[in-house]
Amino acid sequence: MGFKKKNLFTVLTLIAMPVMLGSCVSDTAAGTPAVLDSEEEASDLITIGFSQLGAESDWRSANTQSMLESFTEEYGYNMIYENGQQKQSLQMTALRSFIQQDVDYIALAPVTESGWDGVLEEAKEAGIPVILVDRRVDSDKSLYSCWLGSDFELESRKLCEWLDSYTQAKGLAPSDLNIIHIQGNTGSTAQIGRTRGLANAAREKGWKILGQMSADFTQTKGREVTASFLRRYDNINVVYCENDNEAIGAIEAIEAAGLCAGPDINNGDILVLSFDGTAEGALELAREGKIAAIAECNPLHGPKVRALIEELRAGKEVSKFNYVDERIFSSLPEVSSVTVDGISYPIENIDN
Ligand code: AHR
């Protein structure tokens, strides 16, 4: 990785510090206050270019807020924030503008995994470390410093274990499950992990997946996609949504079709499953049992990304992949814990 001009500036400043301090003291002694002007203060701030992928969900808004609140002047940072509006091309333009502005670090929440090699090579060439946030890229690991986010497949495995235990508790056989699968953005890390988790569980347990389609993590498309599946199949009893907003939309479609989203799967209710646990609307639906269970996806990345950057600034080695802790929620009493890879996860009541 190239050596940034600003890093060189910092080193030279440190070497020159005693001389500079000496001159400050004599200025002060001579009655001139050693006050930095605003230009000098601004140059002390660390500049982060943050390319967020969009504003498609409540989770995303919480994630953006966490990042913006964690990189303020109070902490010694100046954040340049760009919203990619779900378009990789806009995110690439943002990254190139960060490189042009010679920012100190780039934080990138990439909309999809592929296609980043060229622009990441440009950042590396410019000596600007890139920290991936939330989702990953499929580029060579040498092109970014580290990643911080969720284990999306683990989230899905926990939710699928919950579904297995719940339906067994209700006396259903695996072949009784007729699932529709509402996916997130095709090619995003969250979609890939959550889809893989369900596909593997369905194969191992013998569940039927009637159909799957992307709703881009949005409420509007969640409603439209669910409505189209409900017109096509009359035996759906599980809707697996890849985030809260899709689940809210799915419930709207279920109710508009005169059906019931709820836990009583033996008597015609449709079980709705979700990820995130961020949208207040989704949490309320889970309290009512309309969303049966939610695998948490933790959006509060800001302080953790700042801690990683501080370690990088201190010249420390950081782990390449950094996972956030996540829980699983349900207000239904039938399942009290799930086990994945020998680890038991308690089912948290939604109000905890
Ligand atoms: O990548 C994280 C996912 O993206 C969240 O689950 C979803 O709500 C968001 O839009």
Side-chain angles (χ1 to χ4, degrees):
M1 189 165 285
F3 192 76
K4 265 178 70 59
K5 292 189 293 300
K6 274 192 185 170
N7 292 343
L8 180 62
F9 174 80
T10 306
V11 170
L12 292 176
T13 305
L14 286 172
I15 293 167
M17 197 80 94
V19 179
M20 289 162 69
L21 284 175
S23 76
C24 276
V25 170
S26 63
D27 277 355
T28 308
T32 313
V35 175
L36 291 171
D37 66 23
S38 58
E39 211 171 290
E40 282 169 307
E41 276 171 14
S43 71
D44 285 345
L45 297 175
I46 302 295
T47 301
I48 314 279
F50 174 39
S51 169
Q52 176 60 285
L53 63 92
E56 74 286 1
S57 63
D58 290 77
W59 188 97
R60 187 66 50 201
S61 305
N63 182 249
T64 301
Q65 193 181 338
S66 171
M67 289 292 284
L68 293 177
E69 284 173 0
S70 301
F71 291 95
T72 57
E73 286 190 15
E74 190 193 341
Y75 291 111
Y77 291 93
N78 164 37
M79 175 167 270
I80 309 171
Y81 165 73
E82 292 290 347
N83 177 346
Q85 297 171 41
Q86 303 284 337
K87 293 188 184 78
Q88 187 180 41
S89 59
L90 286 185
Q91 289 203 274
M92 286 189 180
T93 304
L95 258 57
R96 292 200 165 101
S97 119
F98 298 154
I99 294 168
Q100 199 134 35
Q101 292 173 72
D102 197 23
V103 299
D104 298 298
Y105 294 87
I106 290 174
L108 167 66
V111 63
T112 48
E113 291 199 349
S114 61
W116 296 98
D117 294 6
V119 72
L120 291 180
E121 269 157 21
E122 289 168 39
K124 183 175 179 175
E125 190 61 30
I128 301 174
V130 175
I131 291 93
L132 299 177
V133 182
D134 171 28
R135 301 179 185 172
R136 298 195 189 191
V137 298
D138 62 9
S139 305
D140 191 88
K141 292 183 188 61
S142 65
L143 294 179
Y144 54 92
S145 296
C146 57
W147 164 88
L148 178 121
S150 304
D151 187 334
F152 299 108
E153 190 173 343
L154 176 61
E155 293 172 351
S156 168
R157 293 176 70 197
K158 290 191 274 190
L159 196 59
C160 289
E161 283 308 314
W162 183 91
L163 177 62
D164 191 38
S165 300
Y166 184 80
T167 50
Q168 281 190 39
K170 290 284 175 184
L172 269 71
S175 57
D176 293 332
L177 269 61
N178 297 308
I179 303 170
I180 59 161
H181 175 190
I182 316 295
Q183 295 174 296
N185 287 102
T186 310
S188 67
T189 314
Q191 178 272 315
I192 293 169
R194 292 170 185 169
T195 294
R196 191 185 295 134
L198 175 64
N200 289 341
R203 197 183 49 251
E204 284 158 20
K205 297 177 193 297
W207 301 335
K208 265 195 303 297
I209 298 181
L210 299 173
Q212 60 184 189
M213 199 181 284
S214 174
D216 293 338
F217 289 121
T218 67
Q219 184 168 338
T220 309
K221 288 197 184 164
R223 183 173 56 239
E224 289 167 4
V225 170
T226 306
S228 75
F229 278 127
L230 289 170
R231 284 193 292 273
R232 193 147 143 218
Y233 301 104
D234 63 4
N235 59 343
I236 297 166
N237 55 11
V238 178
V239 183
Y240 175 99
C241 301
E242 289 190 359
N243 81 342
D244 282 345
N245 294 82
E246 292 179 346
I248 296 171
I251 291 168
E252 288 169 353
I254 290 167
E255 294 181 344
L259 300 166
C260 211
D264 199 1
I265 188 168
N266 302 88
N267 290 306
D269 279 5
I270 298 178
L271 277 187
V272 176
L273 303 173
S274 178
F275 293 85
D276 288 355
T278 310
E280 187 42 47
L283 294 173
E284 190 47 43
L285 290 166
R287 282 185 202 105
E288 293 168 21
K290 291 189 179 187
I291 296 181
I294 303 177
E296 184 186 25
C297 184
N298 182 347
L300 305 179
H301 293 161
K304 298 178 178 79
V305 174
R306 192 179 66 225
L308 283 170
I309 287 179
E310 270 153 27
E311 287 191 35
L312 291 171
R313 284 176 61 201
K316 293 189 188 154
E317 284 240 346
V318 302
S319 306
K320 201 79 184 177
F321 299 104
N322 302 274
Y323 293 93
V324 291
D325 290 333
E326 295 175 326
R327 297 164 292 173
I328 171 160
F329 302 115
S330 174
S331 57
L332 308 180
E334 284 81 354
V335 185
S336 57
S337 66
V338 292
T339 302
V340 176
D341 289 336
I343 299 172
S344 172
Y345 298 89
I347 307 300
E348 311 267 349
N349 193 291
I350 220 79
D351 289 317
N352 291 340

